[in-house]
Amino acid sequence: MTYQHSYKVTLSAVLSALFISACQPAMKTEGEPNTVATPSPTSEKAPTQLKSGLAEPLVTHIYTADPSAHVFEGRLYIYPSHDVESGIPENDNGDHFDMRDYHVLSMDEVGGEVTDHGVALSVDDIPWAGRQLWAPDAAHKDGTYYLYFPLKDKQDIFHIGVATSDKPYGPFTAQSEPIEGSFSMDPAVFKDDDSSYYMYFGGIWGGQLQRYEGGQYNPQDVYPADDAPAVKPRIAKMADDMLSFAEAPQEIAILDKDGTPILQEDNDRRFFEAAWMHKYKGQYYLSYSTGDTHKIVYAIGDNPYGPFTYQGVILNPVLGWTNHHSIAQFKDKWYLFYHDSSLSGGKTHLRSVKMTELTYHPDGTIVTIDPYMEQ
Ligand code: FUB
């Protein structure tokens, strides 16, 4: 552990009408500039922090994003990306997300002190590293903690790596090679009730998943036709060693309620990135980001592989281009972990992790969260 840093969390925020309008998300389509005033690109901390909405950032001394939350040993651990100002111009490949290490956050209770456990893994300590440590996840099995991370190799192709530690907060030691057969990004590892572990992964555009349409890697970005089924997220069961896949990754079908596949042109509902799995009352909830329509949505199935039937929106767009989340139960409540760019004044690549309670309707559907409205 290099250092510890503790912060007091404030989870409630009162919104005025002015505040609500100031917090409307900076919607951005391909190639458009940010529409929100941003701080100097050379300063990591924003001089013009916007109001936060439903929740405040869990920490403010660093930028954090893509939170994957787990309860280990009765404590809530959050595995986020560590956003930094690299000065790399924004583009559709996400080159501006040039993250170089991970910090693990934890807390004993919601609203209590948040501990930053310092650098848990650095790109400099990953033998196969090229660049860009994107959204990570973690798992625990038989006394070992596993940190799963997407990273471009020296040929600029994303794979998923794994690092181990005997502590949930690291430091983690990376394997010498990425997970064999892994590709694309945004790993999420789910432990089922029978102690089987599954990795969900993939993301289009900068996440390169579209390059695997047809089954083989193709350096060209090839997308299905608009009226064809959308690019699908992938699942692979983890081997007993948690360092490898037990099977070749399989495509996950996401269907409309009439049983037809969600189509490529359906940007409001098709998979983009940030898959997450959680189980509630015996059903499997696959949630994900719709990317360029900036929503977190979900679909329900009766087994880890799906098919999953689309249900609706969990989280409406946040300030900043990306929307990425996780869902976990802590003590007797469910929580949504997400990020936005309020702390950086709207900078797409300088985000902050937040959390808020997630609730279900009696039929098991999820109550949609608007990040800038009182619930
Ligand atoms: O943080 C880099 C990338 O942005 C993540 O991997 C995506 O899910 C998006 O949040």
Side-chain angles (χ1 to χ4, degrees):
M1 184 187 317
T2 51
Y3 70 94
Q4 290 209 333
H5 210 130
S6 291
Y7 277 78
K8 194 79 182 165
V9 182
T10 308
L11 279 177
S12 62
V14 179
L15 302 176
S16 67
L18 179 62
F19 165 35
I20 293 169
S21 68
C23 288
Q24 290 308 301
M27 302 300 288
K28 178 181 172 298
T29 51
E30 218 169 328
E32 282 182 357
N34 242 333
T35 55
V36 174
T38 56
S40 154
T42 54
S43 76
E44 192 173 330
K45 285 290 168 58
T48 53
Q49 178 183 348
L50 298 178
K51 295 279 188 177
S52 279
L54 197 59
E56 297 296 327
L58 289 183
V59 294
T60 57
H61 64 294
I62 56 172
Y63 289 113
T64 54
D66 309 324
S68 291
H70 294 276
V71 178
F72 295 134
E73 300 164 353
R75 191 172 171 87
L76 181 61
Y77 285 89
I78 300 169
Y79 298 82
S81 301
H82 175 196
D83 282 356
V84 289
E85 178 56 83
S86 65
I88 295 175
E90 193 167 326
N91 62 27
D92 289 338
N93 282 334
D95 286 346
H96 47 302
F97 297 109
D98 193 27
M99 296 86 104
R100 300 192 55 81
D101 62 28
Y102 294 116
H103 289 223
V104 179
L105 310 177
S106 73
M107 65 186 87
D108 265 335
E109 58 182 335
V110 174
E113 284 189 346
V114 178
T115 300
D116 172 357
H117 295 274
V119 176
L121 179 68
S122 166
V123 73
D124 298 330
D125 298 324
I126 303 171
W128 56 278
R131 63 184 180 129
Q132 296 183 291
L133 280 173
W134 282 12
D137 193 19
H140 175 232
K141 183 181 176 186
D142 298 336
T144 300
Y145 293 87
Y146 298 86
L147 181 67
Y148 298 95
F149 56 89
L151 177 68
K152 283 180 179 164
D153 65 14
K154 297 180 198 308
Q155 284 72 48
D156 231 26
I157 299 173
F158 265 120
H159 295 282
I160 296 167
V162 55
T164 58
S165 175
D166 61 0
K167 302 201 171 49
Y169 46 83
F172 290 88
T173 303
Q175 297 290 297
S176 57
E177 301 286 343
I179 295 175
E180 190 176 349
S182 71
F183 53 90
S184 195
M185 44 73 130
D186 285 4
V189 175
F190 164 72
K191 181 184 181 185
D192 207 348
D193 297 335
D194 65 357
S195 294
S196 299
Y197 293 79
Y198 300 89
M199 182 183 288
Y200 296 82
F201 64 94
I204 61 173
W205 287 23
Q208 303 179 345
L209 184 61
Q210 66 279 0
R211 298 184 183 179
Y212 298 85
E213 287 291 278
Q216 297 292 324
Y217 177 74
N218 175 353
Q220 307 303 316
D221 289 333
V222 179
Y223 292 92
D226 283 354
D227 59 355
V231 179
K232 299 177 181 68
R234 302 300 206 270
I235 179 174
K237 190 171 188 179
M238 300 304 297
D240 286 345
D241 65 6
M242 297 292 281
L243 304 174
S244 54
F245 291 155
E247 60 186 8
Q250 300 181 40
E251 295 188 338
I252 299 171
I254 304 172
L255 308 177
D256 210 338
K257 285 190 173 144
D258 65 4
T260 58
I262 299 290
L263 302 181
Q264 183 66 20
E265 65 190 0
D266 191 348
N267 291 40
D268 275 322
R269 299 190 299 168
R270 60 99 176 85
F271 173 75
F272 189 102
E273 62 187 8
W276 185 258
M277 172 57 61
H278 78 280
K279 201 170 180 180
Y280 178 72
K281 294 192 173 172
Q283 292 198 293
Y284 295 79
Y285 288 62
L286 174 70
S287 45
Y288 54 92
S289 171
T290 60
D292 57 350
T293 50
H294 317 284
K295 296 172 186 165
I296 300 296
V297 300
Y298 72 110
I300 294 179
D302 63 10
N303 74 87
Y305 292 89
F308 296 92
T309 303
Y310 181 86
Q311 301 294 323
V313 177
I314 296 176
L315 179 65
N316 280 322
V318 295
L319 179 64
W321 199 91
T322 64
N323 204 347
H324 189 124
H325 73 301
S326 65
I327 294 168
Q329 187 175 18
F330 185 45
K331 299 178 179 169
D332 58 344
K333 289 184 174 175
W334 286 89
Y335 294 94
L336 176 76
F337 301 81
Y338 64 106
H339 65 221
D340 78 5
S341 296
S342 54
L343 182 65
S344 70
K347 278 201 143 187
T348 306
H349 61 296
L350 296 179
R351 302 159 291 180
S352 299
V353 166
K354 301 179 165 189
M355 65 184 288
T356 192
E357 191 175 345
L358 177 137
T359 55
Y360 300 84
H361 294 290
D363 66 357
T365 55
I366 293 174
V367 177
T368 301
I369 295 169
D370 186 318
Y372 305 105
M373 299 287 278
E374 281 186 284
Q375 299 296 293

